[in-house]
């Protein structure tokens, strides 16, 4: 597994100067990342513009024959749990599981199963603000046929069975009072509550697992 700088691409609309400054601050002083802001493809449906930008980046990485890269939305914020060693450990573990996707944090999940101390498999997720995309998934993304109206994270959930999330989260979304992707995210406090709810849900799943492991040991 490559431990050189990790390529990170953060699409940004030119008029979103506040988001640009925010994402640049997040990666300032982090030489472990080869960070680049890229022009976001503009579309009247924000989610579809995001998808088009995402596919363009995947094609670029396919040509480079990279092992993986990180797709990063410009509202990404590192949590207190971020450490580069932790990220690398999770990337390596996910790769051994044959991962297509590894999320640094999510705002919604359907069906999560704990695989290691810090990795959960998930069936459906929402939250692409910090997403590792592995090269085994590049071709499938490029060959996929989407129409306007698809939301990238939900669509990726449909075309892959190998999706994982780190826990504790290393990434959440900053609220700007508006969203270029999903109108629902415009509600004040909504995004923060979503991440908090899922974080608590995954913590609970860990506790349940630990309880039954202990109960099984005591029965034996």
């Amino acid at each position: 597994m490559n431990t050189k700088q990790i390529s990170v691409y953060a699409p940004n609309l030119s008029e979103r100067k506040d988001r640009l400054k925010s994402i640049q601050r997040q990666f300032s002083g982090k030489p472990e990342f080869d960070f680049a802001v890229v022009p976001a493809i503009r579309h009247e449906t924000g989610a579809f513009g995001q998808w088009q930008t995402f596919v363009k980046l995947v094609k670029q990485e396919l040509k480079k024959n990279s092992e993986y890269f990180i797709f990063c939305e410009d509202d990404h914020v590192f949590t207190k749990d971020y450490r580069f060693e932790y990220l690398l450990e999770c990337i390596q573990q996910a790769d051994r599981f044959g991962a297509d996707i590894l999320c640094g944090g999510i705002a919604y999940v359907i069906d999560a199963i704990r695989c290691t101390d810090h990795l959960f498999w998930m069936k459906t997720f929402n939250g692409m603000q910090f997403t590792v995309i592995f090269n085994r998934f590049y071709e499938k993304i490029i060959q996929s046929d989407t129409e306007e109206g698809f939301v990238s994270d939900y669509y990726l959930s449909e075309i892959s069975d190998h999706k994982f999330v780190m826990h504790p989260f290393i990434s959440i979304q900053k609220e700007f009072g508006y969203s270029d992707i999903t109108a629902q995210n415009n509600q004040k406090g909504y995004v923060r509550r979503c991440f908090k709810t899922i974080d608590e849900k995954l913590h609970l799943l860990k506790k349940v697992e630990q309880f039954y492991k202990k109960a099984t040991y005591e029965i034996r």
Side-chain angles (χ1 to χ4, degrees):
M1 177 66 66
N2 190 356
T3 56
K4 294 187 296 184
Q5 281 186 313
I6 300 177
S7 295
V8 180
Y9 302 100
N12 174 259
L13 292 169
S14 58
E15 67 271 20
R16 301 307 194 192
K17 304 297 184 184
D18 52 346
R19 287 174 174 263
L20 176 60
K21 290 179 181 178
S22 176
I23 195 65
Q24 288 174 331
R25 281 196 299 268
Q26 290 302 308
F27 286 92
S28 176
K30 290 185 172 62
E32 61 266 37
F33 297 109
D34 181 12
F35 172 71
V37 175
V38 297
I41 294 175
R42 195 177 300 276
H43 193 278
E44 60 182 8
T45 303
F48 193 60
Q50 182 198 51
W51 174 258
Q52 291 175 313
T53 306
F54 175 64
V55 172
K56 182 178 179 180
L57 292 170
V58 173
K59 289 179 179 178
Q60 176 180 311
E61 288 299 300
L62 179 63
K63 288 181 180 179
K64 288 171 56 178
N65 194 31
S66 64
E67 293 181 87
Y68 55 86
F69 74 97
I70 293 174
F71 179 82
C72 190
E73 295 177 340
D74 57 9
D75 57 0
H76 152 75
V77 175
F78 284 110
T79 71
K80 62 179 178 59
D81 290 300
Y82 171 73
R83 290 180 297 104
F84 187 53
E85 296 77 14
Y86 172 41
L87 172 60
L88 281 183
E89 177 187 353
C90 288
I91 289 175
Q92 292 165 358
Q93 289 178 345
D95 189 50
R96 287 196 290 270
F97 283 126
D100 292 329
I101 292 171
L102 171 64
C103 295
I106 52 174
Y108 176 76
V109 70
I110 296 176
D111 295 343
I113 299 174
R114 191 181 183 193
C115 301
T116 70
D117 287 347
H118 300 297
L119 280 189
F120 280 84
W121 172 88
M122 52 189 177
K123 180 180 179 181
T124 303
F125 76 98
N126 174 253
M128 285 195 66
Q129 79 285 344
F130 189 97
T131 310
V132 181
I133 307 296
F134 291 89
N135 60 4
R136 62 177 61 87
F137 198 32
Y138 292 173
E139 289 280 7
K140 193 167 187 179
I141 291 170
I142 293 168
Q143 294 170 6
S144 62
D145 183 20
T146 60
E147 299 176 357
E148 183 179 343
F150 277 98
V151 178
S152 298
D153 32 28
Y154 289 120
Y155 182 69
L156 292 174
S157 295
E158 289 182 11
I159 64 174
S160 172
D161 292 324
H162 306 284
K163 306 169 294 287
F164 298 84
V165 62
M166 301 172 60
H167 193 263
F169 296 158
I170 63 167
S171 170
I172 58 174
Q173 290 177 317
K174 180 177 179 178
E175 293 189 350
F176 286 92
Y178 64 88
S179 172
D180 293 317
I181 306 299
T182 307
Q184 189 177 21
N185 291 356
N186 294 335
Q187 302 174 32
K188 186 176 181 180
Y190 175 76
V191 172
R192 184 173 61 253
R193 289 194 302 272
C194 287
F195 278 92
K196 186 174 186 294
T197 297
I198 298 304
D199 179 52
E200 291 173 349
K201 179 177 182 178
L202 297 183
H203 270 300
L204 181 60
L205 287 174
K206 285 182 179 180
K207 287 183 179 180
V208 170
E209 180 189 20
Q210 290 166 357
F211 172 83
Y212 280 104
K213 277 185 176 179
K214 182 179 179 181
T216 301
Y217 176 79
E218 289 177 348
I219 290 172
R220 288 177 181 175

